[in-house]
Amino acid sequence: MERIYFDYAATSPVHPEVIEVVHDAMIHHFGNASSIHHIGRDSRRMMDNAKKVFADSIGAKPNEIVLTSGGTESDNTAIIETAFAREKEGKHIITTAIEHHAVLKPMDYLEKLGFEITYLSVNEYGMIDLEELEKALREDTILVSVMYGNNEVGSLLASESIGKIIAESVSSAYFHTDAVQAYGLESIDVKKESIDLLSTASHKIGGPKGIGFLYINETIHLPSFMLGGEQEMKRRAGTENIPAIVGFQKAVEIVQLTKGSRRKEYDSFSHHLIHRLTDEKVDFEINGHPHNRLKHIINIWFKGVSSEKLLLLMDLSGIAISAGSACTAGNIDPSHVLMAMYGKESQRVKESVRISFGIGTTLESIDHLATELIKLTNKLKK
């Protein structure tokens, strides 16, 4: 049976060119980047080159890039270390109700330690009210964490406007954004958008798992989240994973060259899928913003169709889709994102699926996906 993958928002297969550079680094560039001999200096050179690529991709400086194990560590570091470093200035933090759990769980943790967390609501398009944000900012607000693009419904959350509002407010809050889902597709400029902290992950863009980076504005000094050696200019202890770093670098170079064309292609895939479903009179609606969204994600409510049953039947047909974040896919709990957008009692919460595209997606595979969705949704509604 041919298996077709439509869950790129959860993770992506490693790009063949990335595999090549990782393999080469594992054989020929095994030195510790902290060692002073030539083998160590070779690893240091490769790491420094990668940091320049990462920095250039978001309009930052290489010394503002801290290598991490991925999005979760980056989010945890940005949120928890900011809270601990600034708690004498204030203990108020603002975030949204639709963040990834890598943001929400650190917020829960800080709340138990006495920090006050304000959760901004979202409308039916998954967008925050900028006036609500403006009113929520206070003199004791030390951090605002709002994701760049939502991982379940794809809605883009107007980061440039958020940065401007924070910069012009009575608060001296840092602006952190979880850009894990948007990085590699959206054009991000941390200086223009007044972003102080930004999280990424390699595995979302065809790179290896277990590597990412946290951008920290050079004016910000956060203590190391990891205790040990003095790597990363004392900002993140632990021997750097050179093969993963150069693999991530290659993945970034690939997506930077193609992000414009891929956005157009993924948008055309969504339109083609919608037209196929509409032509066959399938009863559905799109969740999230119809236009202001990440182009590789489309979240669909199939009315009267259990998402759990649909996922199982699609999997038996050889097609991988999801019902939301991969971090909660094994749970029976409904999507906190859809509940925040439509209410806990909405049927959308139990009848929606997420479809996401990547480098391996083709128009032919979209047609196959549409055919199976049409067949199975009709079957499950009977």
Side-chain angles (χ1 to χ4, degrees):
M1 178 195 302
E2 181 186 6
R3 296 202 173 272
I4 306 177
Y5 191 69
F6 288 105
D7 199 17
Y8 286 84
T11 195
S12 61
V14 180
H15 194 285
E17 292 181 38
V18 172
I19 294 172
E20 286 182 21
V21 298
V22 170
H23 181 256
D24 180 74
M26 293 181 79
I27 297 172
H28 301 294
H29 307 284
F30 55 85
N32 188 319
S34 296
S35 298
I36 62 172
H37 48 63
H38 72 279
I39 295 175
R41 293 197 306 272
D42 175 63
S43 291
R44 168 66 61 179
R45 174 186 58 80
M46 298 184 76
M47 185 174 72
D48 288 345
N49 289 341
K51 282 191 174 184
K52 186 177 187 311
V53 170
F54 301 151
D56 288 347
S57 71
I58 58 169
K61 300 176 183 178
N63 69 323
E64 296 176 311
I65 302 298
V66 178
L67 299 169
T68 69
S69 63
T72 295
E73 183 189 332
S74 296
D75 286 341
N76 275 249
T77 302
I79 294 164
I80 295 172
E81 293 308 316
T82 293
F84 290 165
R86 304 195 70 191
E87 62 180 324
K88 290 182 180 178
E89 301 170 57
K91 302 187 79 169
H92 180 233
I93 298 172
I94 299 172
T95 189
T96 81
I98 62 169
E99 298 295 311
H100 191 278
H101 288 292
V103 168
L104 293 177
K105 290 193 175 180
M107 296 295 178
D108 289 341
Y109 169 69
L110 291 172
E111 205 160 21
K112 291 172 184 174
L113 296 179
F115 287 84
E116 181 186 351
I117 315 296
T118 295
Y119 294 89
L120 302 176
S121 60
V122 293
N123 61 20
E124 69 272 22
Y125 297 119
M127 309 294 287
I128 64 169
D129 182 340
L130 294 177
E131 287 187 10
E132 183 184 356
L133 167 63
E134 200 167 1
K135 290 176 182 176
L137 285 161
R138 311 183 321 213
E139 288 187 6
D140 63 337
T141 305
I142 56 173
L143 178 68
V144 176
S145 184
V146 177
M147 66 195 336
Y148 206 99
N150 184 262
N151 56 296
E152 290 194 28
V153 298
S155 300
L156 288 164
L157 278 77
S159 67
E160 187 172 351
S161 299
I162 293 170
K164 184 177 180 182
I165 288 169
I166 296 169
E168 295 176 353
S169 74
V170 296
S171 142
S172 61
Y174 297 160
F175 175 27
H176 166 250
T177 187
D178 176 341
V180 168
Q181 208 57 247
Y183 182 64
L185 270 176
E186 296 301 310
S187 296
I188 299 172
D189 187 322
V190 291
K191 306 301 181 183
K192 181 181 177 182
E193 297 171 66
S194 302
I195 297 169
D196 299 302
L197 302 147
L198 179 141
S199 306
T200 72
S202 163
H203 73 101
K204 302 291 188 181
I205 62 168
K209 294 177 177 62
I211 185 73
F213 71 76
L214 172 64
Y215 156 76
I216 305 177
N217 185 289
E218 63 183 349
T219 64
I220 294 173
H221 301 284
L222 298 181
S224 174
F225 192 62
M226 308 283 282
L227 303 179
E230 297 187 352
Q231 291 90 350
E232 296 300 285
M233 294 182 287
K234 301 181 181 181
R235 297 177 299 182
R236 201 269 189 181
T239 301
E240 294 92 349
N241 184 345
I242 299 302
I245 292 166
V246 298
F248 187 15
Q249 174 189 346
K250 188 64 177 179
V252 170
E253 290 170 344
I254 292 168
V255 297
Q256 287 295 107
L257 288 172
T258 60
K259 65 184 177 184
S261 61
R262 284 185 297 114
R263 272 205 303 264
K264 290 179 182 177
E265 183 178 46
Y266 299 159
D267 200 32
S268 71
F269 288 160
S270 292
H271 287 298
H272 186 73
L273 177 60
I274 290 168
H275 287 151
R276 284 286 314 275
L277 297 175
T278 302
D279 289 345
E280 294 294 331
K281 296 182 170 51
V282 175
D283 196 6
F284 75 97
E285 284 185 24
I286 304 300
N287 296 321
H289 202 285
H291 310 297
N292 192 27
R293 62 180 182 85
L294 297 168
K295 303 304 184 186
H296 70 300
I297 294 174
I298 181 167
N299 196 296
I300 307 177
W301 172 29
F302 290 104
K303 300 178 184 180
V305 176
S306 162
S307 57
E308 184 177 359
K309 291 179 181 178
L310 180 57
L311 288 179
L312 290 172
L313 290 178
M314 290 292 283
D315 189 43
L316 290 172
S317 299
I319 298 175
I321 59 175
S322 78
S325 172
C327 300
T328 57
N331 299 335
I332 58 172
D333 296 336
S335 163
H336 71 283
V337 174
L338 294 180
M339 286 195 295
M341 291 168 61
Y342 302 111
K344 293 181 180 180
E345 303 305 318
S346 173
Q347 285 300 111
R348 292 177 188 256
V349 175
K350 298 178 181 179
E351 298 175 355
S352 296
V353 299
R354 180 186 69 183
I355 295 161
S356 48
F357 315 129
I359 292 173
T361 308
T362 64
L363 191 59
E364 182 182 16
S365 67
I366 295 292
D367 268 324
H368 185 58
L369 168 68
T371 298
E372 289 300 311
L373 285 171
I374 292 162
K375 180 178 72 176
L376 293 176
T377 52
N378 284 334
K379 178 180 179 180
L380 289 170
K381 284 197 75 169
K382 288 179 180 178

